[in-house]
Amino acid sequence: MKKGDIVQGYVERVEFPNKGIVRIVEEDRNVVVKNTIPGQKLEIQINKLRKGKAEGRVVSILENSPIETENACPHFGACGGCVYQSVDYKEQLKIKEAQIKGLLDSVIDYEYDFQGILESPVHNGYRNKMEYSFGDEIKDGPMALGMHKRGSFHDIITVDGCRIVDEDYNKILRCVLDFASATGLPFLHKMRHEGFFRHLLVRKAVKTKEILVDVVTTTQYSCDFKELVADLRKLELDGRIVGILHTDNDSLADIVQNDRTEVLYGQDFFYEELLDLRFKITPFSFFQTNFLGAEVLYSKAREYIGDVDGKVVFDLYSGTGTIAQIIAPVAKKVVGVEIVKEAVEAAKINAELNGLTNCEFIAGDVLKVIDDIEEKPDLIILDPPRDGIHPKALQKIIDYGVDYMVYVSCKPTSLVRDLEVLKEQGYRVVKGCAVDMFPGTGHVETVCLLSRKAPV
C-alpha cells in the first residue's frame, strides 16, 4: 500500500470522536478514515502513511451500514456539522457508549461503576444556539449563510433545512440571507480579509421561547438594518424575538467576537429556566446548547455531588455558574472560577436573580486565581473547556486533597488524560456515565465521580 492508492474495506468500529477503523482485508491492515459509520463498505484513497499507520479519505460509499436509516436532513453529508444523522438514535447511543467505556477502561485498571449513557430528551431541533457563517458554496458563487462544507475552510452551505434546530432558526436564517444579498454588500473573504457580513448568531430559550438575533459584520462598510428589523419582526415564529443586535467584529481569526454591539430592537439578553432556576443569558455568554439535555447532565452531576450540607464547594471552570447555583441552596458556600469575564458577570446576575447569597464568582484563570482564594474546599467540581485542565492547574487542584471530585467533560479524550494524572496521585473513579447532549454528531458529555478514599 502506498499513498494515493484506492482500496476498499468495511468500517469495523468508530473511535472517538469520528475516527472510523476500516479493515483492508487484501492488505491485512487497518486504515483510519474520518466521518464514517460502523458497517459501511467504502472506497477510500490513502492520503497518509507514517510509522505503520495509514489514513485515508472516502471516495465513495459502496454499501450503507445496516444501522443507517433514511437521512433526516437534506444537508447531511455535505455539511460538516453531523456524523450520525443517518443512524437510528438507539444505535447512535450504542456507538457513543462503547467509545466512552473504551476510553475510560484504557486508564482505569480497577473496578468502577460505569452507568452507561443517558439519552437526550429530544433528538431533533435540540440546539438553542447557532453560529452561522456568511460565504459562498463555490468560488465567486452567490452568497450563502450556514455551516462549513465538510472538510473545507472556505465553502459555506446554506443550511435552511437543518434538523438539529427548530424551524424558527431556518426562517430567521433565510430572512437574514435574503436581506444581506439584497444589500449588495460582500461577505468577508477570509484570505483577503475584505468584506462586510461575517456571522449570524441565533439563540432561543426552550422554556420561555425568547429569541435573540445578532448579525455580526466588519466595520469596513455601513448598513441600514431597519428593513431587516422589520422583516424579522414580521416572521411567523413559534418563539418570540426579544432582541435584534448588530455586532462589530474586525478580528483576523474566523471566530464570533464582540468588538461592539448595538441593540437594533428590544434588548441584548433573554431568560431561560432550568431545574427551578432562572437564567439571564447574553449573546456571548456560555450556556449548554442542548437545554433539555443540560437538565439531564446537571441532574446526574448533582446526584454524583451528593450531600454538601455545611460544605464549601469549588466550581472550577464555572461558566455562567449553572452547576454552582444548582447546588448552592444545599451548600454552605460555592466558589466559582471562570476565565471569561462576561460569563462571570452573568453568573453574578443570575445568582442574585435566584436569591442565592452564598455564591461567589471570580473572574480569572484557574491556574492563577485559586492561590488567592482564602476558603479551602470540601469538594471540587471540574467542568473544563475541551482541552481539559492545564497540568499545573490540575496539580494545584490535587494539592487541596479533597476526598471527592466530580469531573464533567465535553471531550472524553481530555478527560482520560487528566484521569491518568489523578490516578497517579491517589484518586480513583468511583462511577461514571455518558450523557448524549449532541444527537446526530460525534460529541458526547461524560460525568465521573472521583474519590481519594476506597471506592464506595
Side-chain angles (χ1 to χ4, degrees), residues 182-199:
T183 66
L185 296 173
F187 62 85
L188 180 71
H189 291 266
K190 295 181 178 66
M191 298 300 291
R192 300 198 303 266
H193 301 293
E194 296 175 354
F196 184 62
F197 291 105
R198 295 194 69 161
H199 298 98

Side-chain angles (χ1 to χ4, degrees), residues 153-439:
F153 176 71
H154 298 284
D155 301 337
I156 300 296
I157 299 173
T158 298
V159 290
D160 54 354
C162 179
R163 294 293 185 267
I164 62 173
V165 294
D166 69 35
E167 190 57 27
D168 284 358
Y169 288 79
N170 297 325
K171 290 179 179 179
I172 291 168
L173 181 152
R174 175 52 65 184
C175 179
V176 173
L177 177 57
D178 288 346
F179 169 81
S181 299
T183 66
L185 296 173
F187 62 85
L188 180 71
H189 291 266
K190 295 181 178 66
M191 298 300 291
R192 300 198 303 266
H193 301 293
E194 296 175 354
F196 184 62
F197 291 105
R198 295 194 69 161
H199 298 98
L200 168 65
L201 173 63
V202 183
R203 304 190 74 158
K204 179 182 178 182
V206 173
K207 295 289 181 69
T208 67
K209 295 185 179 295
E210 295 179 345
I211 301 171
L212 277 186
V213 179
D214 190 359
V215 180
V216 184
T217 73
T218 69
T219 59
Q220 296 177 28
Y221 297 81
S222 61
C223 178
D224 186 346
F225 289 99
K226 290 180 181 177
E227 185 177 339
L228 175 62
V229 170
D231 290 343
L232 286 170
R233 294 186 65 193
K234 291 176 186 175
L235 292 175
E236 294 184 6
L237 303 173
D238 171 64
R240 178 173 64 93
I241 294 177
V242 297
I244 301 172
L245 316 174
H246 170 221
T247 292
D248 292 333
N249 175 14
D250 285 321
S251 169
L252 296 179
D254 186 24
I255 57 175
V256 180
Q257 177 176 299
N258 178 19
D259 293 343
R260 185 188 71 91
T261 293
E262 174 190 7
V263 178
L264 303 174
Y265 163 78
Q267 60 201 36
D268 61 352
F269 63 89
F270 67 98
Y271 289 104
E272 182 58 289
E273 297 168 359
L274 185 149
L275 297 177
D276 300 322
L277 295 172
R278 189 168 173 86
F279 293 89
K280 181 180 179 182
I281 302 171
T282 55
F284 300 98
S285 62
F286 173 79
F287 201 78
Q288 288 286 358
T289 53
N290 178 349
F291 169 79
L292 296 176
E295 290 194 321
V296 175
L297 174 69
Y298 292 140
S299 294
K300 177 56 69 172
R302 183 166 61 182
E303 174 192 320
Y304 282 9
I305 291 164
D307 182 12
V308 291
D309 184 31
K311 294 181 179 179
V312 175
V313 180
F314 279 12
D315 180 11
L316 304 182
Y317 312 95
S318 56
T320 52
T322 311
I323 297 178
Q325 293 176 65
I326 288 170
I327 64 171
V330 292
K332 178 181 178 182
K333 183 176 181 180
V334 182
V335 179
V337 179
E338 169 59 47
I339 197 169
V340 180
K341 291 182 180 179
E342 185 181 38
V344 172
E345 292 307 310
K348 292 177 180 178
I349 291 170
N350 290 327
E352 184 177 351
L353 190 67
N354 291 303
L356 301 171
T357 58
N358 62 336
C359 292
E360 179 185 358
F361 294 102
I362 302 170
D365 188 340
V366 169
L367 175 62
K368 300 174 182 177
V369 166
I370 57 176
D371 291 334
D372 299 324
I373 302 175
E374 293 183 2
E375 290 93 351
K376 300 301 178 185
D378 298 300
L379 180 143
I380 294 176
I381 302 164
L382 303 167
D383 190 3
R386 295 186 62 78
D387 290 339
I389 303 171
H390 189 286
K392 291 183 179 178
L394 183 57
Q395 186 57 56
K396 289 184 177 182
I397 292 165
I398 291 169
D399 288 344
Y400 277 119
V402 297
D403 290 335
Y404 294 100
M405 295 186 196
V406 174
Y407 195 133
V408 181
S409 172
C410 59
K411 187 178 181 183
T413 47
S414 297
L415 167 66
V416 296
R417 182 201 66 208
D418 292 341
L419 287 181
E420 285 195 89
V421 178
L422 288 159
K423 182 176 71 172
E424 290 171 359
Q425 307 235 10
Y427 282 93
R428 295 163 67 92
V429 173
V430 178
K431 52 188 173 183
C433 74
V435 181
D436 186 29
M437 297 277 286
F438 314 101

